[in-house]
Structures are given as structure tokens and as C-alpha cells.
Amino acid sequence: MAINHSESTGQANIANLNTATQQTHIHIDLNKTFYSITATELHIIEEGSSSIWKDVTLTGLGIGIPCCVNSFIEFQKINAFNSEIFWNGLIGGICSVVAFIFGIIWLISSNPCKELITEIKQRPLYIV
């Protein structure tokens, strides 16, 4: 590797230095697998991964369970039924039922996505 020096200044020529020292590194993961999918399959996978049903289920559980527990504990403390216990129980019950229903819909709607991914993985592999 020869580096040319400029006679007048005694400094190295930067262009020659860069050319002499540059290297190309290509990192290849030999265990990586590439799958070919259609636009329709990609759309199904996108719809399956961003589900509103999951969000409603988790929100319903996050509101329903604490309200039901609070209602039960308050009823045990005072051993009487009042408006606070009623509203906590009502909201907790409604949220829990909504979470249960939307949870079932979430599980049903995620199955096509899982089946599609399994189908894509079972396709013959392409050697690049």
C-alpha cells in the first residue's frame, strides 16, 4: 500500500489514503430465512397485529376487576348496600362482561393471522 506524499507540503494525499485504507464489510447471517408474501397476505398480517379487540379487552379488565374488587370489599366492610357499592359493582360488571366478549372476538380474529403465518412458513424455501 503506497501512500503518495506531496513534495511541496510533505503531507499525505487524502484521496490516496482513503482508497488504500477503505474496506468493504458484508455481514451475512446464514441462518436467516426470507419468505415471499403477497400484498393480501401482508394486509391480513397487519390487521391481525393491530387489533382494537385486544385494546378493549385489556381496558375492560383494567377497569372491571378493580371496580368489582372494590365493590366486594366495601360490601364486606359495612355489610350494607349503598350507591357507591352499586355503581362500583355495575361498572365493574359491565366492563368485565365487555372484556370477556371482546376477548373472545380477539381470540377468534387472531386465528387467521396465525394460520397464515404457519402457511407461509411451510412454503418451500428460496435459496438466494
Side-chain angles (χ1 to χ4, degrees), residues 62-72 85 87-93 95:
I63 295 172
I65 291 173
C67 285
C68 287
V69 168
N70 187 30
S71 175
F72 180 74
I85 294 171
W87 287 112
N88 269 323
L90 181 67
I91 292 171
C95 288

Side-chain angles (χ1 to χ4, degrees), residues 10-74:
Q11 295 179 348
N13 185 342
I14 299 297
N16 289 338
L17 182 62
N18 287 337
T19 304
T21 59
Q22 76 180 12
Q23 295 179 5
T24 304
H25 296 281
I26 300 175
H27 300 280
I28 299 174
D29 182 5
L30 298 177
N31 296 322
K32 187 179 283 190
T33 305
F34 295 97
Y35 297 99
S36 176
I37 62 172
T38 64
T40 306
E41 292 169 337
L42 180 62
H43 180 69
I44 292 171
I45 292 171
E46 286 175 343
E47 290 297 317
S49 63
S50 61
S51 176
I52 188 71
W53 310 118
K54 174 183 68 172
D55 298 336
V56 174
T57 299
L58 296 177
T59 302
L61 287 175
I63 295 172
I65 291 173
C67 285
C68 287
V69 168
N70 187 30
S71 175
F72 180 74
I73 290 173
E74 289 297 319

